[in-house]
Amino acid sequence: MVQKAFASSADLAEKEQSMEVLADGVYALTAEGDPNVGAVEGEDFLVCFEALATPVAARAWLARLREHTAKPVRHLVLSHYHAVRVLGASAFDAQTIVAHDNTRALIAERGRQDWESELGRMPRLFREPASIPGLTWPDVTFSDRMTIHLGGDRGTLELRHLGRGHTEGDIVAWLPRQRVLFAGDLVEAQAALYTGDAYHADWAGGTLDRVAELPAEVLVGGRGAVVRGRPAVAAAIAQTRDFLRVMRREVGGARERGGTLKDAFQAAHAALAPRYGGWPIFEHCLPFNVSRLWDELSGVERPAIWTAERDRAVWDRLQS
């Protein structure tokens, strides 16, 4: 097998961005499989969801948002700790940065290593990395649920931790009045999953069950296009669950047969590629996904910390 270019290091073409108004005062920016971001208007403030990888990248998103509203950002909500989601936070001038308790702990434990890892894996997303002032630290954290009252007749924005999944600190942002769900990377819409820091059994089981219980009519996943309509929302959740189940079946089967990590990777690739192989970041993510799942099935409860050096070692072992 010819070795592939490392992770997304060769993905240097700019993606076309789509700014969408999902409901009155509810916005999303998607970009052909790049990380999605969103915003919700309160009566006299904004809540922004996700921060992108650098302040320069975040300011470009905010410029698009300012074509619709000049309200100040009161809350910046981070769905989890990964660098491409959080390191642009300083551009928002938010009064508070909100995340789950576990996300704050993960930033303290492995935020610096994750920054270096993701910069190496996805250099295009880090527009002017020198603009990053340092790690992003949340001001407010919670364990289960937090409600933001939007004021006037705009209703509420509910931040919920629905269980371990993509990480141990994922949260979603749910607008019950508008029935819009920002799902973070717990759900992807025609984009491959990254599970290198995941809890696969929890995610494929109870966590996605709880996501599905929310009666969303519009869903913004971590990557991919905005999904509209209850059947399409259910299909996106089912697609995410299927990806996880196929990986667990193939990696678990390889282990039970006494195979190696590379055997497990090849089995998972063969089973997933016909449906998912053409989707964004599939080839990038799968070696890291299989490595984490192999550890989990071997009894390693918490994901090992990804470093730039470990990234390369796993990639060279599985993609060569």
Side-chain angles (χ1 to χ4, degrees), residues 5-308:
F6 175 66
S8 289
S9 62
D11 179 10
L12 302 177
E14 289 298 316
K15 309 301 182 185
E16 182 178 353
Q17 295 184 332
S18 299
M19 177 75 175
E20 300 182 53
V21 180
L22 310 181
D24 181 29
V26 184
Y27 310 96
L29 187 75
T30 64
E32 298 184 295
D34 278 358
N36 295 335
V37 291
V40 178
E41 288 190 51
E43 189 171 22
D44 58 359
F45 64 91
L46 283 171
V47 182
C48 288
F49 191 71
E50 311 289 37
L52 296 177
T54 70
V56 170
R59 281 195 285 272
W61 147 235
L62 288 167
R64 300 286 297 272
L65 183 60
R66 291 307 179 206
E67 297 172 5
H68 298 267
T69 175
K71 295 173 183 177
V73 180
R74 180 177 296 176
H75 306 289
L76 172 61
V77 177
L78 306 176
S79 68
H80 60 285
Y81 81 99
H82 284 146
V84 294
R85 302 289 183 182
V86 305
L87 291 179
S90 62
F92 292 79
D93 293 323
Q95 292 183 26
T96 61
I97 299 175
V98 183
H100 191 264
D101 293 340
N102 291 341
T103 290
R104 194 181 208 290
L106 287 164
I107 291 168
E109 178 189 44
R110 58 185 71 192
R112 175 62 62 173
Q113 295 95 322
D114 181 72
W115 177 353
E116 294 170 356
S117 165
E118 295 200 15
L119 176 60
R121 293 187 193 182
M122 297 171 279
R124 179 178 53 79
L125 298 182
F126 286 80
R127 293 177 57 186
E128 298 188 32
S131 67
I132 302 169
L135 292 174
T136 296
W137 294 98
D139 307 296
V140 175
T141 64
F142 64 95
S143 61
D144 180 44
R145 183 180 301 191
M146 175 178 168
T147 299
I148 297 172
H149 296 277
L150 299 174
D153 62 353
R154 293 183 176 274
T156 59
L157 176 65
E158 297 179 5
L159 307 179
R160 300 190 186 187
H161 175 62
L162 301 177
R164 300 186 304 184
H166 176 70
T167 73
E168 62 192 68
D170 298 285
I171 59 176
V172 303
W174 166 236
L175 288 159
R177 182 174 175 273
Q178 297 86 349
R179 299 203 170 187
V180 175
L181 177 65
F182 292 91
D185 280 317
L186 285 176
V187 181
E188 308 292 8
Q190 296 192 358
L193 275 61
Y194 174 63
T195 74
D197 297 299
Y199 295 80
H200 295 79
D202 288 6
W203 189 357
T207 299
L208 282 180
D209 288 345
R210 287 182 281 275
V211 173
E213 287 169 0
L214 297 172
E217 295 178 3
V218 179
L219 182 146
V220 183
R223 294 173 184 262
V226 174
V227 176
R228 290 178 170 84
R230 291 287 296 151
V233 170
I237 295 168
Q239 163 214 303
T240 302
R241 198 190 306 263
D242 178 69
F243 193 105
L244 292 164
R245 285 179 168 170
V246 172
M247 276 212 318
R248 292 180 68 218
R249 182 191 72 211
E250 297 300 325
V251 175
R255 286 187 75 259
E256 290 169 6
R257 294 190 296 271
T260 64
L261 177 62
K262 188 158 185 175
D263 293 332
F265 171 74
Q266 291 173 337
H269 192 286
L272 289 166
R275 181 176 182 188
Y276 303 109
W279 288 5
I281 68 171
F282 175 79
E283 296 291 349
H284 166 166
C285 292
L286 196 61
F288 310 117
N289 295 353
V290 170
S291 179
R292 165 54 189 157
L293 179 52
W294 182 275
D295 284 352
E296 187 176 36
L297 294 173
S298 301
V300 179
E301 172 66 10
R302 298 190 70 241
I305 295 174
W306 290 103
T307 65

